């Protein structure tokens, strides 16, 4: 079975099913289909199924042109009928892994996917989990469920983990030039999974599924801790009356031993705010307290409050209070040039301002509406930036590239710039963090 499946993969004859067609699953589906595989996306959201089958993309990094070409040639389709998993040679799971309010891992989507795979599992199939999770998930949760069928991993079917490495809107590193880490339950599982990803990028093999799971958590914990460090340095520089952006840029001229990270209004998205807590939770079950992770999370979570403090200070200098002040938030997405608000610090800034009875508006060409705001508010994005002069303060939270910053500088009374958009501009109306 191993040799037969390996030949199918290397010859692009293997049929691939991908569970979850979001920011990870859809780009992966499209890339594998472009490499010649027959790919079926499995998705519970019927609107996504319909969009895929019509050749329409709902992800910024995937073009309608690619979608239309692949669906037209029959290389890509989608379904909500999970019975069709029986037709796949390779099944890749790309479902969400959020945190509960207690910051415990919510692996319910992984478990649901595993149960769906179990119902149709057959000999010779390769199952790959891509969803970010704590070390041990593949072996401790996925494996027992699948082996309830009586089939044995490494003998009757194959099981591996490969962490997703999608960075939405990144123009330099995409799916084709970002290596994929792969670890299997056994060597043959690793070999088969590596062959799938080697069809479009370099596959880096590691010794186990646990090692592959840990790699992902290290990557994002590294980022979370370093972002927390520069956020704290930003607070230090504020106390010392120094420009933190100048300090970081100067330090970055050192050609060794330093990597620049930059402060901001907080961290957002589906990885950095969440992934380190998966590792922290796992370690707590082993009676180990991960102090760096907890401290970094605490530091990063304070940044929206710091931004609001800077807004209050700026207004105070104009003899105004936050209450009843008109405040415009520029950018609601968690990062530039994406339409994703998950864990966005902009939401925290907006909610803090609303609870202080500010009159808040926002502009984001990617986010038409924000629900579940504080005080029961539901906000819609302003259509343009033509009336900035009516606001007491303008706050740049997300620095989308298609925003007219010259107009913001010209028309605004006070600007709180959390992203250093106006680098080197010495206008007194600009307040930086």
């Amino acid at each position: 079975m191993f040799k037969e499946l390996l030949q199918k993969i290397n010859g692009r004859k293997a049929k691939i099913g991908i569970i979850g067609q979001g920011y990870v699953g859809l780009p992966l589906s499209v890339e594998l289909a472009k490499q010649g595989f027959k790919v079926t996306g499995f998705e519970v959201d019927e609107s996504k199924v319909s969009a895929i089958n019509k050749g329409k993309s709902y992800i910024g990094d995937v073009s309608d042109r690619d979608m239309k070409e692949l669906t037209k040639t029959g290389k890509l389709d989608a379904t909500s009928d999970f019975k069709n998993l029986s037709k796949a040679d390779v099944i890749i799971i790309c479902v969400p892994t959020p945190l509960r309010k207690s910051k415990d891992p919510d692996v319910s989507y992984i478990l649901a996917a595993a149960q769906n795979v179990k119902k149709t599992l057959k000999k010779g199939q390769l199952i790959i989990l891509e969803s970010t999770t704590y070390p041990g998930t593949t072996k401790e949760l996925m494996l027992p469920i699948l082996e309830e069928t009586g089939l044995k991993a490494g003998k009757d079917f194959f099981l591996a983990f490969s962490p997703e490495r999608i960075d939405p809107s990144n123009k330099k590193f995409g799916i084709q030039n970002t290596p994929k880490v792969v670890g299997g339950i056994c060597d043959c599982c690793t070999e088969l999974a590596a062959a799938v990803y080697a069809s479009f990028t370099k596959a880096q093999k590691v010794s186990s599924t646990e090692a592959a799971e840990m790699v992902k958590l290290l990557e994002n914990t590294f980022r979370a801790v370093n972002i927390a460090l520069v956020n704290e340095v930003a607070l230090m520089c504020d106390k010392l009356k120094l420009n933190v952006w100048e300090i970081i840029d100067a330090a970055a001229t050192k050609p060794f031993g330093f990597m620049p990270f930059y402060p901001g209004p907080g961290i957002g998205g589906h990885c950095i705010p969440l992934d380190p807590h998966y590792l922290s939770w796992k370690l707590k079950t082993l009676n180990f307290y991960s102090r760096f992770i907890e401290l970094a999370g605490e530091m990063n979570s304070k940044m929206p409050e710091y931004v609001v403090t800077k807004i209050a200070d700026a207004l105070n200098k104009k003899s105004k209070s936050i209450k009843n002040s008109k405040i415009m938030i520029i950018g609601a997405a968690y990062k530039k040039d994406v339409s994703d608000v998950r864990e966005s610090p902009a939401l925290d800034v907006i909610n803090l301002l609303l609870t202080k009875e500010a009159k808040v508006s926002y502009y984001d060409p990617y986010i038409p509406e924000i629900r579940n705001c504080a005080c029961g508010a539901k906000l819609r994005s302003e259509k343009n930036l033509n009336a900035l002069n009516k606001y007491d303060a303008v706050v740049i939270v997300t620095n989308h590239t298609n925003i007219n910053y010259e107009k913001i500088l010209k028309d605004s009374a006070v600007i709180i710039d959390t992203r250093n958009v106006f680098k080197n501009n010495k206008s007194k109306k600009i307040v930086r963090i």
Side-chain angles (χ1 to χ4, degrees):
M1 283 184 289
F2 167 79
K3 290 183 179 180
E4 181 182 351
L5 182 53
L6 185 60
Q7 287 177 350
K8 279 187 175 182
I9 293 170
N10 289 336
R12 309 294 196 271
K13 301 297 183 182
K15 295 180 180 179
I16 299 179
I18 300 181
I19 301 176
Q21 292 296 294
Y23 286 90
V24 175
L26 184 61
L28 181 60
S29 296
V30 168
E31 186 58 42
L32 287 169
K34 287 167 71 174
Q35 298 303 322
F37 293 101
K38 171 67 177 72
V39 180
T40 297
F42 290 82
E43 175 59 58
V44 296
D45 186 340
E46 292 288 355
S47 65
K48 291 180 179 178
V49 172
S50 177
I52 293 171
N53 289 330
K54 291 178 181 178
K56 294 182 178 180
S57 174
Y58 45 86
I59 300 293
D61 293 336
V62 176
S63 70
D64 282 343
R65 183 181 62 182
D66 285 342
M67 294 282 289
K68 288 178 181 177
E69 181 179 344
L70 294 170
T71 53
K72 184 178 180 180
T73 58
K75 289 296 182 182
L76 177 66
D77 63 15
T79 181
S80 59
D81 186 355
F82 285 78
K83 293 179 181 177
N84 290 320
L85 286 170
S86 62
K87 301 176 183 178
D89 300 297
V90 178
I91 299 172
I92 305 176
I93 299 171
C94 304
V95 296
T97 49
L99 288 175
R100 298 186 176 93
K101 290 183 179 180
S102 60
K103 298 204 180 291
D104 291 343
D106 180 358
V107 293
S108 59
Y109 295 97
I110 292 177
L111 294 176
Q115 290 292 345
N116 278 320
V117 173
K118 171 188 168 183
K119 292 174 184 177
T120 60
L121 186 65
K122 63 182 182 180
K123 288 186 176 182
Q125 284 185 316
L126 166 64
I127 317 300
I128 305 172
L129 178 61
E130 281 212 10
S131 304
T132 303
T133 185
Y134 59 86
T137 301
T138 307
K139 188 173 287 185
E140 296 168 9
L141 296 184
M142 288 279 296
L143 180 61
I145 290 173
L146 298 179
E147 288 192 338
E148 286 175 2
T149 59
L151 301 178
K152 296 299 179 183
K155 177 183 177 183
D156 301 312
F157 70 94
F158 308 96
L159 180 61
F161 182 86
S162 179
E164 59 90 359
R165 280 176 160 176
I166 297 293
D167 186 18
S169 81
N170 191 321
K171 304 302 181 184
K172 183 176 181 181
F173 293 106
I175 196 167
Q176 290 185 344
N177 63 347
T178 302
K180 287 284 287 178
V181 173
V182 179
I185 293 295
C186 62
D187 289 345
C188 59
C189 295
T190 303
E191 193 70 29
L192 288 169
V196 172
Y197 297 113
S199 66
F200 62 85
T201 192
K202 179 182 178 181
Q204 175 65 49
K205 302 173 190 175
V206 293
S207 60
S208 64
T209 54
E210 294 94 332
E213 290 159 343
M214 184 64 181
V215 166
K216 173 65 173 179
L217 298 185
L218 172 59
E219 292 170 0
N220 285 333
T221 299
F222 173 83
R223 293 176 68 189
V225 168
N226 280 280
I227 291 170
L229 173 61
V230 295
N231 280 335
E232 188 169 47
V233 170
L235 271 60
M236 294 176 186
C237 287
D238 189 37
K239 293 288 185 183
L240 296 168
K241 307 300 182 185
L242 295 171
N243 184 327
V244 66
W245 306 94
E246 177 188 11
I247 303 302
I248 294 170
D249 286 346
T253 62
K254 183 180 180 181
F256 56 89
F258 184 83
M259 178 182 294
F261 285 79
Y262 297 95
I267 55 176
H270 61 289
C271 288
I272 300 177
L274 307 181
D275 296 356
H277 293 289
Y278 272 80
L279 182 56
S280 178
W281 175 86
K282 176 66 175 180
L283 291 170
K284 285 176 183 177
T285 68
L286 302 173
N287 199 31
F288 184 94
Y289 186 71
S290 51
R291 287 176 289 177
F292 271 111
I293 292 175
E294 299 296 332
L295 187 59
E298 181 182 340
M299 182 68 246
N300 290 328
S301 67
K302 286 182 178 179
M303 292 308 291
E305 293 181 8
Y306 175 65
V307 171
V308 172
T309 299
K310 298 295 283 188
I311 296 170
D313 291 345
L315 289 171
N316 188 56
K317 289 180 180 180
K318 299 286 185 179
S319 300
K320 296 178 180 292
S321 67
I322 285 183
K323 184 177 180 178
N324 293 325
S325 286
K326 295 180 179 179
I327 300 175
M328 165 63 79
I329 303 296
I330 304 295
Y334 84 88
K335 66 176 290 189
K336 65 188 294 186
D337 302 338
V338 302
S339 58
D340 192 348
V341 295
R342 285 179 294 177
E343 310 296 328
S344 174
L347 304 183
D348 293 322
V349 172
I350 288 171
N351 283 331
L352 286 168
L353 290 171
L354 288 173
T355 57
K356 293 180 181 294
E357 300 183 57
K359 296 179 180 179
V360 181
S361 302
Y362 84 95
Y363 173 75
D364 192 313
Y366 296 95
I367 311 294
E369 183 177 273
I370 297 175
R371 299 173 180 266
N372 302 320
C373 293
C375 312
K378 181 173 71 173
L379 301 179
R380 293 195 64 83
S381 173
E382 297 294 314
K383 294 181 180 179
N384 55 56
L385 296 174
N386 291 337
L388 288 176
N389 57 0
K390 76 176 184 179
Y391 293 96
D392 298 301
V394 174
V395 187
I396 299 174
V397 180
T398 311
N399 52 331
H400 295 308
T401 55
N402 59 355
I403 290 176
N404 188 340
Y405 295 104
E406 290 184 5
K407 181 176 179 58
I408 292 174
L409 181 60
K410 177 184 176 182
D411 296 348
S412 302
V414 176
I415 302 168
I416 290 81
D417 182 3
T418 74
R419 299 291 186 180
N420 202 31
V421 168
F422 298 107
K423 182 177 181 179
N424 299 325
N425 191 305
K426 296 182 180 180
S427 171
K428 292 183 179 180
K429 68 171 64 175
I430 299 172
V431 176
R432 295 180 175 85
I433 65 168

